[in-house]
Amino acid sequence: QVQLVESGGGLVQAGASLRLSCAASGRTFVYGMGWFRQAPGKEREFVSAIRRSDSSTYHADSVKGRFTISRDNAKNTVYLQMNSLKAEDTAVYYCAARTRNSGSNIVPSEYDYWGQGTQVTVSS
């Protein structure tokens, strides 16, 4: 089992920055971590992902150049640094863990464990 605890969301103005954190714990080996977001009335959307093995990172086109995913393996924590926030970034942000070394790391169904979500609201 894997438990994920998210933090760092909040209400900010357009152009501001936030850093989200996701602390993982449990006995199951985690091959990768990802961030997804879901706005009201929309489907869950891939944001960013990182591999445990080689620290390879992936970012959605909508956030490239603004968001950066990173990790601290010693703390079992993944971060999402969000800069130049826009109103369209408003959503509930979820971190997720995948425990199988197969499939796509940008598809929500490939992830086994999810955090409770943290709200990010960007006003304009």
Side-chain angles (χ1 to χ4, degrees):
Q1 300 294 314
V2 178
Q3 294 79 43
L4 305 175
V5 180
E6 302 166 331
S7 62
L11 172 62
V12 299
Q13 292 184 318
S17 298
L18 284 173
R19 189 180 74 161
L20 306 183
S21 299
C22 177
S25 62
R27 299 180 179 181
T28 304
F29 185 83
V30 174
Y31 285 97
M33 298 287 293
W35 288 97
F36 295 79
R37 66 186 183 186
Q38 188 166 22
K42 297 184 179 180
E43 295 183 352
R44 191 161 298 187
E45 175 189 20
F46 168 76
V47 177
S48 188
I50 187 168
R51 289 182 180 176
R52 180 187 179 100
S53 59
D54 60 3
S55 297
S56 297
T57 61
Y58 308 84
H59 295 84
D61 289 341
S62 60
V63 304
K64 284 182 179 178
R66 299 188 298 119
F67 292 8
T68 303
I69 190 171
S70 62
R71 71 179 184 186
D72 186 338
N73 284 343
K75 297 181 179 180
N76 290 320
T77 300
V78 176
Y79 306 94
L80 184 68
Q81 179 66 44
M82 305 186 294
N83 298 326
S84 301
L85 283 163
K86 306 174 181 179
E88 64 184 3
D89 296 318
T90 296
V92 177
Y93 283 70
Y94 300 90
C95 70
R98 63 197 314 266
T99 60
R100 293 181 174 86
N101 189 25
S102 63
S104 174
N105 62 1
I106 67 172
V107 179
S109 62
E110 293 295 324
Y111 288 79
D112 304 292
Y113 298 95
W114 295 82
Q116 78 284 355
T118 184
Q119 177 70 48
V120 173
T121 302
V122 184
S123 62
S124 61

